[in-house]
Amino acid sequence: MVFSLVTKYESSICLTRLPAAKLDAPCSKTTDIAISGLLATPERLEEVDLSVPYYTYSLSVIVKKGSGIRTISDLADKKIVVVADSIADIYASEDYGDSFVVRTVSADSALLEVTSGAADAFIVETETATRMASENDLIEVLGTEYASEEYVIAVPKDNPELLARINVALAELEAEGKIDEIIAKYIY
């Protein structure tokens, strides 16, 4: 995504990986933009300006077939597995409390928790849930999304020109189908 944006307005780029914890205050004097599945939250908007959304991230729930869990409300008092430090982890912890949330290191290990009966449900990104269910006859995805958020790009508040250029570039990339290509390649 970053390279597509840079190409749109012929700029140079220097990429720096930041730990996830740094994404709460993503822009500094040495950072022009932050892009890494950033969600548009009121708290983030106090710190930085945000681009137009370029992707809607949604979460779904995987359960073992025959579990009796049919809706999100059926998850109350159930053991829910998530990938540690993921958006699903944040939501599940807020909604159900740490005593009902089990954290694993990967989606594959979380799925194993459900198929083995060690956990009742697995909350994960919708495309991942759909793919996993298509590859595993033991599980199904609940018909209702658990949650959804929009991804944005963060820009320092003192740079409205850059924000405008990014929004124009995002609109052009969307019109050209490039955003869908990037998402299909890296998210699905």
Side-chain angles (χ1 to χ4, degrees):
M1 178 70 80
V2 172
F3 294 109
S4 295
L5 284 171
V6 169
T7 302
K8 280 291 173 193
Y9 56 84
E10 299 174 7
S11 180
S12 62
I13 186 169
C14 175
L15 295 178
T16 304
R17 280 189 81 113
L18 296 175
K22 296 280 188 187
L23 293 178
D24 287 334
C27 295
S28 68
K29 299 220 183 290
T30 60
T31 307
D32 291 321
I33 68 170
I35 179 171
S36 177
L38 294 175
L39 302 179
T41 64
E43 299 81 17
R44 186 162 279 133
L45 196 52
E46 290 176 12
E47 301 292 325
V48 295
D49 286 332
L50 302 173
S51 72
V52 295
Y54 63 88
Y55 175 67
T56 300
Y57 178 93
S58 61
L59 297 171
S60 290
V61 179
I62 293 175
V63 296
K64 193 171 183 178
K65 285 183 180 173
S67 68
I69 299 171
R70 291 273 157 249
T71 67
I72 302 292
S73 60
D74 294 336
L75 295 176
D77 300 324
K78 301 292 186 206
K79 194 173 190 181
I80 300 165
V81 64
V82 296
V83 175
D85 300 320
S86 66
I87 294 171
D89 187 357
I90 294 167
Y91 272 100
S93 297
E94 288 176 4
D95 292 345
Y96 302 104
D98 286 338
S99 60
F100 292 102
V101 177
V102 176
R103 292 164 184 85
T104 64
V105 297
S106 71
D108 289 334
S109 61
L111 182 60
L112 183 58
E113 292 283 315
V114 172
T115 58
S116 71
D120 299 298
F122 171 28
I123 300 173
V124 67
E125 198 267 332
T126 297
E127 282 76 17
T128 301
T130 302
R131 179 185 50 77
M132 288 180 148
S134 74
E135 296 170 354
N136 189 320
D137 292 335
L138 299 175
I139 61 170
E140 60 188 344
V141 179
L142 296 186
T144 305
E145 283 183 355
Y146 180 72
S148 67
E149 297 279 353
E150 294 179 318
Y151 278 10
V152 294
I153 298 170
V155 178
K157 284 203 172 279
D158 64 352
N159 202 338
E161 297 84 18
L162 178 59
L163 179 63
R165 288 171 43 197
I166 286 172
N167 285 336
V168 167
L170 285 171
E172 290 173 1
L173 290 169
E174 179 69 33
E176 295 166 3
K178 284 289 196 187
I179 291 177
D180 289 339
E181 287 177 23
I182 292 166
I183 289 168
K185 183 174 181 178
Y186 294 104
I187 295 180
Y188 293 156

